[in-house]
Amino acid sequence: MMDLHIHSTYSDGTFTPKEIIDKAVEKNLKLISITDHDNIDCLEESKKYTKEKNINFLSGIELSSDYEGKDIHILGYFLNENDKKFIDKLQELKNERESRTEKIIKRLNQFKINITYQDVLNESKSDLISRSHIAGALLKKGYVKTRGEAFSRYLGDSGLAYFPKTNFKVEEAVKLIKSNGGLAVIAHPALAPFGHDKMNILIRKLMKIGLDGVEVFYPSFSKKELEFYKKYAKKNNLILTGGSDFHGNNREGIDIGDSKIEKEAFDKFYELYETRLVK
Ligand code: AMP
Ligand code: MN
Ligand code: MN
Ligand code: MN
């Protein structure tokens, strides 16, 4: 029905917005959002092409943010791309990614792994660099056999060349989306590196500054997790969203539309989409 969590070549996905949209049309989806990491560069191309293809499109982003040293992702929807302050903030995130990449490469070089900044750039089709592109370079040069190995040996948080990046604090990420006029949604809550109790504390804190929704429908959630967050979101009057987190060939076994979204949640969200469009 809909997929509100998709990555394109403007972050670490392998499909261009056009390829994503073609696939969504083929799958007969009613509404999609492309939610690249920390940027909205896909918007121009996506809006134009979705119009041509007659499929509903919603602007989106997935911001990485920090909560007590843990990486928490906040999805933003209905974004105002003309908000200069917002765009400037996103540029800061790109710069931060560049300096982290330099540190990672330097460390890898110390381990006699000869990859260059250019090798990593070659893996990215945009100017946003993620560890996923470093993994691609390691794979191409034969230093690892799989992307998973690149993360477990080098890039993941217990890897030899791990460097965290300085993200916005989670409150700041939510505020950034809210002050842009967008809808702020906590991404894949069951994937957080802590349990429901701490997630409950975090969500309550974020609700006070305007958190709007929870990503309840997500391919890797167990039935139990899905039911837990469904009930939780309803009880707290939060919007229920869902998406596949499609990354193209960078995430095997996940296709566009694999969002498990249930009809009731789809109907509600679609109604919101139509109302906000008219506004
Ligand atoms: P970054 O945003 O630069 O910190 O990179 C994180 C990205 O790397 C995630 O969005 C995933 O696409 C990818 N990633 C993280 N862990 C793994 C893993 N174990 N295997 C493959 N890809 C991963
Ligand atoms: Mn990713
Ligand atoms: Mn995420
Ligand atoms: Mn994602």
Side-chain angles (χ1 to χ4, degrees):
M1 290 174 268
M2 70 174 179
D3 192 336
L4 301 179
H5 192 155
I6 298 173
H7 294 272
S8 80
T9 44
Y10 286 95
S11 64
D12 56 352
T14 59
F15 278 42
T16 64
K18 276 190 177 172
E19 288 166 340
I20 288 168
I21 292 156
D22 282 337
K23 193 116 200 237
V25 169
E26 199 183 291
K27 294 206 144 196
N28 211 8
L29 296 187
K30 297 281 171 286
L31 171 63
I32 61 161
S33 181
I34 298 180
T35 50
D36 279 314
H37 296 290
D38 300 341
N39 85 89
I40 52 168
D41 298 344
C42 76
L43 271 187
E44 204 185 312
E45 185 181 331
S46 306
K47 277 164 91 174
K48 210 168 137 213
Y49 198 59
T50 37
K51 222 169 252 162
E52 226 174 89
K53 290 280 162 177
N54 217 1
I55 173 171
N56 294 302
F57 180 78
L58 174 59
S59 56
I61 194 166
E62 181 176 28
L63 287 174
S64 300
S65 73
D66 174 82
Y67 176 55
E68 297 178 354
K70 310 281 187 215
D71 193 13
I72 293 297
H73 293 176
I74 302 291
L75 295 159
Y77 297 110
F78 298 100
L79 302 168
N80 169 14
E81 73 235 59
N82 300 315
D83 175 354
K84 169 103 173 45
K85 217 174 122 197
F86 185 68
I87 303 296
D88 287 349
K89 285 282 183 188
L90 299 185
Q91 187 58 45
E92 278 178 32
L93 297 176
K94 265 190 196 160
N95 298 345
E96 171 60 21
R97 283 176 173 278
E98 281 175 23
S99 54
R100 177 184 58 161
T101 302
E102 279 164 6
K103 284 187 221 161
I104 294 175
I105 290 173
K106 216 165 161 188
R107 177 63 51 84
L108 287 171
N109 292 163
Q110 285 166 354
F111 288 112
K112 303 272 176 280
I113 292 170
N114 296 316
I115 63 164
T116 64
Y117 199 85
Q118 189 58 46
D119 294 330
V120 174
L121 270 188
N122 291 345
E123 295 297 308
S124 175
K125 294 205 169 65
S126 72
D127 61 352
L128 182 123
I129 309 164
S130 106
R131 280 180 292 166
S132 185
H133 302 118
I134 308 175
L138 288 170
L139 193 63
K140 196 167 273 173
K141 293 224 150 174
Y143 289 111
V144 292
K145 291 202 172 61
T146 62
R147 290 175 168 276
E149 189 190 341
F151 279 88
S152 59
R153 287 182 68 173
Y154 303 112
L155 308 173
D157 56 9
S158 34
L160 289 171
Y162 175 68
F163 287 93
K165 89 184 136 38
T166 311
N167 291 322
F168 296 135
K169 293 262 174 279
V170 65
E171 293 90 346
E172 214 180 329
V174 170
K175 281 183 191 157
L176 190 64
I177 291 166
K178 296 304 291 183
S179 67
N180 172 275
L183 206 76
V185 173
I186 187 145
H188 41 63
L191 296 193
F194 45 75
H196 295 330
D197 291 346
K198 193 154 184 190
M199 183 48 80
N200 175 39
I201 294 170
L202 173 61
I203 291 178
R204 289 190 175 279
K205 197 189 281 235
L206 296 180
M207 278 173 71
K208 289 197 186 119
I209 53 171
L211 184 80
D212 299 283
V214 178
E215 189 176 46
V216 169
F217 304 98
Y218 189 84
S220 71
F221 283 9
S222 68
K223 179 96 184 120
K224 211 171 142 193
E225 288 165 338
L226 191 152
E227 289 302 326
F228 176 87
Y229 281 106
K230 186 161 91 180
K231 222 165 122 187
Y232 183 91
K234 285 185 174 179
K235 201 172 106 196
N236 290 288
N237 273 321
L238 290 158
I239 297 166
L240 285 72
T241 74
S244 65
D245 214 353
F246 180 75
H247 278 70
N249 306 326
N250 284 346
R251 188 166 295 184
E252 274 171 28
I254 297 292
D255 205 354
I256 291 170
D258 287 352
S259 52
K260 286 190 179 170
I261 188 116
E262 292 172 3
K263 175 117 182 29
E264 187 190 334
F266 167 73
D267 287 342
K268 271 203 169 151
F269 194 89
Y270 195 77
E271 196 185 317
L272 173 77
Y273 174 75
E274 288 195 309
T275 323
R276 296 231 1 184
L277 268 197
V278 174
K279 255 206 312 196

